[in-house]
Amino acid sequence: MFQINRGALPPSSQRSGANILLLTNAPEKHIDLTSAGKQLGHHIHVVVPKSLKLLSPIQLEHRLSEIRDMAEVVIPYSKKPFSLKILKKLEERKMPSLNSSGAIIQASNQLKTLKAFSKAGIPIPKTAIITNKKYDNTGQLIGVSKVQDAIDHVGLPCVFKGLEGSGGDEVFFPEDTKKLKYYIKQYQSKNKSFLIQELIKGAVDHKNRGRDVRALILSGNFLVAMLRQAKKEGERRANLKKGGEGFPFSLTETEQSLAEKATKSLGLNWAGIDMLPTDDPTNPFIFIEGNPLPGRKIGNVTGVDVITPVIEAAAEKIKASKVEAPQRELSLIS
C-alpha cells in the first residue's frame, strides 16, 4: 500500500496540490495524515528510510534525486540516525522540511534543549551534569565533578534522565544518594550521558501521580494544549505512551508566548513543548523538553484538528521556498 511506483508520476511541478513527502519508518501509524492530505487536495508520498539502507551509494543518490523530483517538502516522522541522514541529503537538494535535521537533533538531546531554553530566558529546572571538564555554569544548569555537589544543587529526591531519552523512557526518580549513585554507575559503565534534575513539587498530585502539560506549536504560533496525568498511584511519568491520561488544558497568553519562544530557541517550526506545573504562582511552569516530532493524540484529547494545520504548514513551506529562491539569485546579481 505504501510502496512508491517509480516513474509513474509526472514531475512535482506538473501536478496540482502540494506534493508532500512523509518520511517515516512506520507508515501504518500515519494513515490519518495521508488520508487528510488527500482530502485537502494534496499528494502525500510516503518514503520509508530503512528501505533505502541496502542501496549502494550511487543507487541511493539516484533514488534521492527521484524523491526530490516527486515531492517538494518533507514532513519528518523519524529521529533514527539514518532517517536524519536521508533528511539532510534532501535538504542539501534544497528540499524544505517542516523541521530541519539539525533542529531535530538538537531538540532530541535533553542537555542541548535545556541550554537553548536557558539562553532564551525560558525557566528550566535546577539541573546538574557530572563532568571532570571545566563547565560554563549558567543559572540553573551547572556542571560538577562530585555527586554530592549535584545533590546540593538539585536536592533529593531528584530526577535522573538519559540525554537521549524521550516518551518517558530513561527517566528515574532516585529517593536517596545510594539509588542516585546506582543509576550514575549504570550509565557511566555504558558510557551513556545523563543529567540530574530537581523534582518539581507541583508536578505530582495528592496521590503522587506525575503530571505535565504539552503545548503544540506550529509555524511560531500556539495551537492547543493538554494536561497529561499518570493513572497509577506513585507513577510519576505522565506520558500517554506510559499509560497516562490526557485532558484539555488552557494556557494564559503569557504561557503560550513562552511555549512559542521555547520552540523558536530550538530552531523548530513544529514542536510539542513539555512543561511541569509548579506550586509557585509567580512562576507557574518549568520547561523541560521540546519534542521535534510531536504525536497527534493531543487532537483526540482536545477535539482540535491538529492534522490539517500540519499539512497546510508543509504546503506553505513550499511557497516560502519558491519566494526565497529568486531573492537569493537577485542578491547574488547585485
Side-chain angles (χ1 to χ4, degrees):
M1 179 177 178
F2 295 100
Q3 294 299 314
I4 295 171
N5 184 4
R6 301 184 188 182
L9 294 169
S12 59
S13 61
Q14 296 177 21
R15 299 191 295 275
S16 61
N19 290 282
I20 300 170
L21 176 67
L22 179 61
L23 199 63
T24 174
N25 284 317
E28 69 282 357
K29 294 182 179 180
H30 303 288
I31 295 174
D32 56 347
L33 194 151
T34 54
S35 298
K38 184 177 180 180
Q39 291 176 2
L40 292 167
H42 302 306
H43 308 277
I44 309 294
H45 310 284
V46 181
V47 168
V48 180
K50 62 184 179 183
S51 69
L52 307 177
K53 274 189 172 183
L54 297 179
L55 299 180
S56 69
I58 293 176
Q59 289 174 324
L60 178 59
E61 291 300 314
H62 178 69
R63 185 72 188 104
L64 289 171
S65 295
E66 289 181 333
I67 292 170
R68 181 63 184 96
D69 185 57
M70 174 184 65
E72 302 165 280
V73 66
V74 186
I75 296 179
Y77 251 118
S78 174
K79 294 190 289 186
K80 297 289 185 181
F82 187 76
S83 299
L84 293 176
K85 177 183 176 181
I86 295 300
L87 179 57
K88 185 171 179 57
K89 283 183 173 292
L90 290 171
E91 290 169 344
E92 290 170 353
R93 286 168 166 78
K94 309 301 180 186
M95 191 171 187
S97 175
L98 202 52
N99 277 336
S100 71
S101 57
I104 292 172
I105 290 170
Q106 172 171 266
S108 299
N109 182 286
Q110 300 275 349
L111 183 57
K112 290 180 179 179
T113 293
L114 291 171
K115 284 182 177 180
F117 285 175
S118 181
K119 187 176 180 180
I122 305 296
I124 63 172
K126 291 179 181 177
T127 304
I129 64 168
I130 306 294
T131 177
N132 290 319
K133 298 178 182 178
K134 185 177 180 181
Y135 196 81
D136 183 19
N137 294 339
T138 54
Q140 303 284 63
L141 181 59
I142 68 169
V144 297
S145 59
K146 298 178 181 178
V147 175
Q148 187 57 50
D149 291 337
I151 294 173
D152 290 343
H153 182 59
V154 307
L156 284 172
C158 63
V159 182
F160 182 97
K161 287 184 176 181
L163 290 193
E164 306 297 335
S166 64
D169 294 326
E170 296 193 47
V171 181
F172 309 96
F173 302 90
E175 298 283 341
D176 51 40
T177 302
K178 182 179 179 180
K179 198 65 176 178
L180 175 59
K181 286 184 175 180
Y182 167 78
Y183 288 125
I184 291 173
K185 184 178 180 180
Q186 290 295 309
Y187 268 65
Q188 288 180 336
S189 67
K190 298 174 183 176
N191 200 28
K192 295 178 69 175
S193 300
F194 60 89
L195 51 81
I196 304 163
Q197 292 181 323
E198 66 174 317
L199 186 66
I200 305 299
K201 292 181 180 179
V204 293
D205 68 0
H206 65 286
K207 292 184 178 180
N208 202 28
R209 297 178 302 181
R211 58 187 178 185
D212 64 20
V213 171
R214 159 68 62 91
L216 188 63
I217 309 297
L218 181 64
S219 301
N221 298 310
F222 169 83
L223 279 184
V224 68
M226 68 174 170
L227 173 72
R228 300 184 298 192
Q229 173 85 60
K231 279 186 180 181
K232 186 179 177 181
E233 187 170 341
E235 173 59 74
R236 288 174 172 163
R237 295 173 298 178
N239 307 73
L240 300 187
K241 288 183 177 180
K242 297 298 180 182
E245 295 180 285
F247 305 92
F249 191 82
S250 296
L251 293 173
T252 66
E253 288 188 10
T254 299
E255 291 157 0
Q256 292 176 20
S257 295
L258 274 175
E260 292 166 354
K261 189 177 180 181
T263 302
K264 185 177 180 180
S265 75
L266 295 172
L268 295 170
N269 186 58
W270 168 49
I273 299 297
D274 294 341
M275 55 191 91
L276 299 176
T278 75
D279 54 6
D280 180 1
T282 63
N283 192 24
F285 287 101
I286 294 291
F287 289 68
I288 55 170
E289 292 181 29
N291 189 322
L293 308 176
R296 299 184 293 280
K297 289 183 180 179
I298 191 170
N300 298 332
V301 168
T302 61
V304 174
D305 177 11
V306 299
I307 298 177
T308 298
V310 168
I311 294 171
E312 296 297 4
E316 285 298 317
K317 275 276 187 181
I318 300 172
K319 295 178 184 178
S321 67
K322 289 178 179 178
V323 170
E324 289 172 4
Q327 289 179 343
R328 286 195 297 268
E329 292 171 7
L330 188 62
S331 64
L332 287 172
I333 295 171
S334 60

mmCIF file of all heavy atoms in Angstrom, residues 92-125:
data_model
loop_
_atom_site.group_PDB
_atom_site.id
_atom_site.type_symbol
_atom_site.label_atom_id
_atom_site.label_comp_id
_atom_site.label_asym_id
_atom_site.label_seq_id
_atom_site.Cartn_x
_atom_site.Cartn_y
_atom_site.Cartn_z
ATOM 1 N N GLU A 92 20.028 19.151 1.406
ATOM 2 C CA GLU A 92 21.137 19.577 0.541
ATOM 3 C C GLU A 92 20.689 19.743 -0.902
ATOM 4 O O GLU A 92 21.325 20.449 -1.682
ATOM 5 C CB GLU A 92 22.278 18.557 0.629
ATOM 6 C CG GLU A 92 22.988 18.567 1.985
ATOM 7 C CD GLU A 92 23.944 17.398 2.162
ATOM 8 O OE1 GLU A 92 23.952 16.503 1.278
ATOM 9 O OE2 GLU A 92 24.675 17.380 3.166
ATOM 10 N N ARG A 93 19.577 19.093 -1.236
ATOM 11 C CA ARG A 93 18.980 19.241 -2.562
ATOM 12 C C ARG A 93 17.927 20.352 -2.577
ATOM 13 O O ARG A 93 17.050 20.390 -3.425
ATOM 14 C CB ARG A 93 18.352 17.907 -3.006
ATOM 15 C CG ARG A 93 19.380 16.853 -3.407
ATOM 16 C CD ARG A 93 18.728 15.484 -3.556
ATOM 17 N NE ARG A 93 19.614 14.547 -4.261
ATOM 18 C CZ ARG A 93 20.652 13.934 -3.709
ATOM 19 N NH1 ARG A 93 20.938 14.151 -2.443
ATOM 20 N NH2 ARG A 93 21.397 13.104 -4.417
ATOM 21 N N LYS A 94 18.031 21.251 -1.577
ATOM 22 C CA LYS A 94 17.136 22.420 -1.483
ATOM 23 C C LYS A 94 15.685 22.031 -1.261
ATOM 24 O O LYS A 94 14.766 22.720 -1.684
ATOM 25 C CB LYS A 94 17.250 23.321 -2.730
ATOM 26 C CG LYS A 94 18.665 23.713 -3.098
ATOM 27 C CD LYS A 94 19.344 24.461 -1.970
ATOM 28 C CE LYS A 94 20.778 24.852 -2.345
ATOM 29 N NZ LYS A 94 21.499 25.460 -1.220
ATOM 30 N N MET A 95 15.457 20.919 -0.582
ATOM 31 C CA MET A 95 14.102 20.489 -0.266
ATOM 32 C C MET A 95 13.765 20.942 1.148
ATOM 33 O O MET A 95 14.394 20.511 2.116
ATOM 34 C CB MET A 95 13.980 18.972 -0.369
ATOM 35 C CG MET A 95 12.553 18.449 -0.318
ATOM 36 S SD MET A 95 12.518 16.675 -0.713
ATOM 37 C CE MET A 95 10.768 16.371 -0.798
ATOM 38 N N PRO A 96 12.784 21.836 1.315
ATOM 39 C CA PRO A 96 12.431 22.307 2.659
ATOM 40 C C PRO A 96 11.789 21.206 3.493
ATOM 41 O O PRO A 96 11.198 20.269 2.957
ATOM 42 C CB PRO A 96 11.445 23.447 2.384
ATOM 43 C CG PRO A 96 10.859 23.133 1.049
ATOM 44 C CD PRO A 96 11.940 22.444 0.268
ATOM 45 N N SER A 97 11.921 21.332 4.807
ATOM 46 C CA SER A 97 11.335 20.365 5.734
ATOM 47 C C SER A 97 10.598 21.123 6.828
ATOM 48 O O SER A 97 11.004 22.219 7.223
ATOM 49 C CB SER A 97 12.430 19.489 6.344
ATOM 50 O OG SER A 97 11.895 18.619 7.325
ATOM 51 N N LEU A 98 9.527 20.530 7.321
ATOM 52 C CA LEU A 98 8.766 21.178 8.383
ATOM 53 C C LEU A 98 9.656 21.446 9.592
ATOM 54 O O LEU A 98 9.536 22.472 10.253
ATOM 55 C CB LEU A 98 7.565 20.309 8.767
ATOM 56 C CG LEU A 98 6.393 21.010 9.445
ATOM 57 C CD1 LEU A 98 5.924 22.226 8.662
ATOM 58 C CD2 LEU A 98 5.238 20.045 9.628
ATOM 59 N N ASN A 99 10.541 20.507 9.901
ATOM 60 C CA ASN A 99 11.615 20.712 10.873
ATOM 61 C C ASN A 99 12.913 20.248 10.247
ATOM 62 O O ASN A 99 12.959 19.181 9.621
ATOM 63 C CB ASN A 99 11.373 19.930 12.162
ATOM 64 C CG ASN A 99 10.449 20.652 13.124
ATOM 65 O OD1 ASN A 99 10.325 21.878 13.081
ATOM 66 N ND2 ASN A 99 9.804 19.902 13.998
ATOM 67 N N SER A 100 13.975 21.030 10.401
ATOM 68 C CA SER A 100 15.257 20.659 9.797
ATOM 69 C C SER A 100 15.912 19.521 10.577
ATOM 70 O O SER A 100 15.621 19.301 11.763
ATOM 71 C CB SER A 100 16.199 21.864 9.777
ATOM 72 O OG SER A 100 16.635 22.186 11.089
ATOM 73 N N SER A 101 16.810 18.819 9.918
ATOM 74 C CA SER A 101 17.530 17.714 10.567
ATOM 75 C C SER A 101 18.338 18.226 11.753
ATOM 76 O O SER A 101 18.389 17.590 12.809
ATOM 77 C CB SER A 101 18.439 17.008 9.558
ATOM 78 O OG SER A 101 19.357 17.921 8.974
ATOM 79 N N GLY A 102 18.960 19.390 11.597
ATOM 80 C CA GLY A 102 19.767 19.953 12.682
ATOM 81 C C GLY A 102 18.935 20.288 13.902
ATOM 82 O O GLY A 102 19.344 20.032 15.047
ATOM 83 N N ALA A 103 17.761 20.865 13.684
ATOM 84 C CA ALA A 103 16.880 21.214 14.803
ATOM 85 C C ALA A 103 16.345 19.972 15.499
ATOM 86 O O ALA A 103 16.211 19.938 16.723
ATOM 87 C CB ALA A 103 15.729 22.081 14.306
ATOM 88 N N ILE A 104 16.057 18.938 14.729
ATOM 89 C CA ILE A 104 15.573 17.680 15.315
ATOM 90 C C ILE A 104 16.641 17.068 16.207
ATOM 91 O O ILE A 104 16.362 16.597 17.310
ATOM 92 C CB ILE A 104 15.159 16.682 14.211
ATOM 93 C CG1 ILE A 104 13.917 17.196 13.475
ATOM 94 C CG2 ILE A 104 14.879 15.298 14.802
ATOM 95 C CD1 ILE A 104 13.542 16.389 12.241
ATOM 96 N N ILE A 105 17.887 17.089 15.739
ATOM 97 C CA ILE A 105 18.997 16.541 16.523
ATOM 98 C C ILE A 105 19.160 17.312 17.827
ATOM 99 O O ILE A 105 19.322 16.736 18.903
ATOM 100 C CB ILE A 105 20.306 16.571 15.700
ATOM 101 C CG1 ILE A 105 20.228 15.546 14.565
ATOM 102 C CG2 ILE A 105 21.512 16.286 16.593
ATOM 103 C CD1 ILE A 105 21.359 15.653 13.558
ATOM 104 N N GLN A 106 19.112 18.641 17.751
ATOM 105 C CA GLN A 106 19.272 19.460 18.957
ATOM 106 C C GLN A 106 18.147 19.204 19.954
ATOM 107 O O GLN A 106 18.393 18.996 21.147
ATOM 108 C CB GLN A 106 19.289 20.948 18.609
ATOM 109 C CG GLN A 106 19.258 21.848 19.852
ATOM 110 C CD GLN A 106 19.488 23.305 19.563
ATOM 111 O OE1 GLN A 106 20.604 23.779 19.641
ATOM 112 N NE2 GLN A 106 18.427 24.029 19.232
ATOM 113 N N ALA A 107 16.909 19.192 19.473
ATOM 114 C CA ALA A 107 15.770 19.022 20.368
ATOM 115 C C ALA A 107 15.675 17.608 20.936
ATOM 116 O O ALA A 107 15.009 17.394 21.952
ATOM 117 C CB ALA A 107 14.478 19.366 19.637
ATOM 118 N N SER A 108 16.347 16.644 20.295
ATOM 119 C CA SER A 108 16.322 15.256 20.770
ATOM 120 C C SER A 108 17.330 15.017 21.880
ATOM 121 O O SER A 108 17.365 13.931 22.462
ATOM 122 C CB SER A 108 16.596 14.295 19.598
ATOM 123 O OG SER A 108 15.602 14.420 18.604
ATOM 124 N N ASN A 109 18.134 16.027 22.177
ATOM 125 C CA ASN A 109 19.142 15.925 23.232
ATOM 126 C C ASN A 109 18.696 16.787 24.415
ATOM 127 O O ASN A 109 18.529 18.002 24.276
ATOM 128 C CB ASN A 109 20.506 16.380 22.711
ATOM 129 C CG ASN A 109 21.603 16.241 23.744
ATOM 130 O OD1 ASN A 109 21.679 17.020 24.683
ATOM 131 N ND2 ASN A 109 22.464 15.248 23.562
ATOM 132 N N GLN A 110 18.517 16.162 25.566
ATOM 133 C CA GLN A 110 17.993 16.860 26.735
ATOM 134 C C GLN A 110 18.874 18.040 27.153
ATOM 135 O O GLN A 110 18.373 19.124 27.479
ATOM 136 C CB GLN A 110 17.874 15.877 27.907
ATOM 137 C CG GLN A 110 16.953 14.712 27.658
ATOM 138 C CD GLN A 110 15.502 15.034 27.967
ATOM 139 O OE1 GLN A 110 15.197 16.057 28.543
ATOM 140 N NE2 GLN A 110 14.607 14.161 27.571
ATOM 141 N N LEU A 111 20.188 17.835 27.147
ATOM 142 C CA LEU A 111 21.100 18.889 27.595
ATOM 143 C C LEU A 111 21.107 20.075 26.632
ATOM 144 O O LEU A 111 21.047 21.236 27.055
ATOM 145 C CB LEU A 111 22.510 18.326 27.751
ATOM 146 C CG LEU A 111 23.565 19.305 28.283
ATOM 147 C CD1 LEU A 111 23.146 19.865 29.636
ATOM 148 C CD2 LEU A 111 24.931 18.619 28.393
ATOM 149 N N LYS A 112 21.158 19.791 25.326
ATOM 150 C CA LYS A 112 21.135 20.869 24.342
ATOM 151 C C LYS A 112 19.832 21.652 24.420
ATOM 152 O O LYS A 112 19.806 22.877 24.243
ATOM 153 C CB LYS A 112 21.334 20.296 22.934
ATOM 154 C CG LYS A 112 22.735 19.775 22.661
ATOM 155 C CD LYS A 112 22.858 19.214 21.249
ATOM 156 C CE LYS A 112 24.263 18.713 20.983
ATOM 157 N NZ LYS A 112 24.396 18.133 19.617
ATOM 158 N N THR A 113 18.741 20.935 24.690
ATOM 159 C CA THR A 113 17.439 21.589 24.826
ATOM 160 C C THR A 113 17.443 22.553 26.008
ATOM 161 O O THR A 113 17.016 23.706 25.890
ATOM 162 C CB THR A 113 16.328 20.540 25.013
ATOM 163 O OG1 THR A 113 16.200 19.778 23.818
ATOM 164 C CG2 THR A 113 14.993 21.203 25.323
ATOM 165 N N LEU A 114 17.932 22.086 27.141
ATOM 166 C CA LEU A 114 17.959 22.930 28.342
ATOM 167 C C LEU A 114 18.863 24.142 28.154
ATOM 168 O O LEU A 114 18.548 25.246 28.613
ATOM 169 C CB LEU A 114 18.414 22.113 29.548
ATOM 170 C CG LEU A 114 17.426 21.046 30.032
ATOM 171 C CD1 LEU A 114 18.081 20.170 31.089
ATOM 172 C CD2 LEU A 114 16.160 21.684 30.574
ATOM 173 N N LYS A 115 19.992 23.948 27.471
ATOM 174 C CA LYS A 115 20.898 25.077 27.194
ATOM 175 C C LYS A 115 20.205 26.121 26.337
ATOM 176 O O LYS A 115 20.321 27.330 26.581
ATOM 177 C CB LYS A 115 22.159 24.572 26.491
ATOM 178 C CG LYS A 115 23.149 23.873 27.400
ATOM 179 C CD LYS A 115 24.394 23.454 26.624
ATOM 180 C CE LYS A 115 25.432 22.824 27.526
ATOM 181 N NZ LYS A 115 26.643 22.408 26.775
ATOM 182 N N ALA A 116 19.471 25.663 25.315
ATOM 183 C CA ALA A 116 18.758 26.586 24.427
ATOM 184 C C ALA A 116 17.666 27.328 25.192
ATOM 185 O O ALA A 116 17.501 28.546 25.033
ATOM 186 C CB ALA A 116 18.160 25.819 23.250
ATOM 187 N N PHE A 117 16.918 26.601 26.023
ATOM 188 C CA PHE A 117 15.879 27.232 26.836
ATOM 189 C C PHE A 117 16.481 28.288 27.754
ATOM 190 O O PHE A 117 15.975 29.408 27.861
ATOM 191 C CB PHE A 117 15.144 26.186 27.686
ATOM 192 C CG PHE A 117 14.165 25.328 26.921
ATOM 193 C CD1 PHE A 117 13.517 24.274 27.554
ATOM 194 C CD2 PHE A 117 13.885 25.560 25.584
ATOM 195 C CE1 PHE A 117 12.600 23.481 26.870
ATOM 196 C CE2 PHE A 117 12.978 24.763 24.886
ATOM 197 C CZ PHE A 117 12.340 23.720 25.539
ATOM 198 N N SER A 118 17.553 27.904 28.446
ATOM 199 C CA SER A 118 18.184 28.809 29.408
ATOM 200 C C SER A 118 18.685 30.079 28.726
ATOM 201 O O SER A 118 18.496 31.191 29.227
ATOM 202 C CB SER A 118 19.333 28.092 30.113
ATOM 203 O OG SER A 118 19.945 28.932 31.067
ATOM 204 N N LYS A 119 19.311 29.918 27.578
ATOM 205 C CA LYS A 119 19.838 31.065 26.836
ATOM 206 C C LYS A 119 18.723 32.011 26.404
ATOM 207 O O LYS A 119 18.901 33.231 26.337
ATOM 208 C CB LYS A 119 20.610 30.576 25.606
ATOM 209 C CG LYS A 119 21.340 31.680 24.850
ATOM 210 C CD LYS A 119 22.156 31.102 23.706
ATOM 211 C CE LYS A 119 22.884 32.218 22.953
ATOM 212 N NZ LYS A 119 23.686 31.670 21.822
ATOM 213 N N ALA A 120 17.549 31.442 26.128
ATOM 214 C CA ALA A 120 16.403 32.248 25.680
ATOM 215 C C ALA A 120 15.598 32.817 26.849
ATOM 216 O O ALA A 120 14.596 33.501 26.631
ATOM 217 C CB ALA A 120 15.496 31.401 24.790
ATOM 218 N N GLY A 121 16.018 32.521 28.074
ATOM 219 C CA GLY A 121 15.308 33.037 29.233
ATOM 220 C C GLY A 121 14.071 32.240 29.601
ATOM 221 O O GLY A 121 13.192 32.740 30.307
ATOM 222 N N ILE A 122 14.001 30.989 29.124
ATOM 223 C CA ILE A 122 12.881 30.113 29.449
ATOM 224 C C ILE A 122 13.174 29.427 30.786
ATOM 225 O O ILE A 122 14.257 28.870 30.965
ATOM 226 C CB ILE A 122 12.688 29.033 28.354
ATOM 227 C CG1 ILE A 122 12.528 29.668 26.966
ATOM 228 C CG2 ILE A 122 11.508 28.136 28.683
ATOM 229 C CD1 ILE A 122 11.324 30.518 26.795
ATOM 230 N N PRO A 123 12.251 29.450 31.739
ATOM 231 C CA PRO A 123 12.510 28.807 33.041
ATOM 232 C C PRO A 123 12.703 27.294 32.925
ATOM 233 O O PRO A 123 11.896 26.614 32.299
ATOM 234 C CB PRO A 123 11.269 29.147 33.866
ATOM 235 C CG PRO A 123 10.210 29.521 32.883
ATOM 236 C CD PRO A 123 10.926 30.094 31.694
ATOM 237 N N ILE A 124 13.786 26.785 33.501
ATOM 238 C CA ILE A 124 14.093 25.353 33.478
ATOM 239 C C ILE A 124 14.337 24.864 34.903
ATOM 240 O O ILE A 124 14.581 25.659 35.809
ATOM 241 C CB ILE A 124 15.334 25.046 32.604
ATOM 242 C CG1 ILE A 124 16.589 25.715 33.198
ATOM 243 C CG2 ILE A 124 15.116 25.488 31.164
ATOM 244 C CD1 ILE A 124 17.884 25.308 32.522
ATOM 245 N N PRO A 125 14.281 23.557 35.143
ATOM 246 C CA PRO A 125 14.555 23.049 36.495
ATOM 247 C C PRO A 125 16.044 23.138 36.827
ATOM 248 O O PRO A 125 16.891 23.188 35.928
ATOM 249 C CB PRO A 125 14.101 21.587 36.413
ATOM 250 C CG PRO A 125 14.175 21.236 34.967
ATOM 251 C CD PRO A 125 13.880 22.488 34.208
#
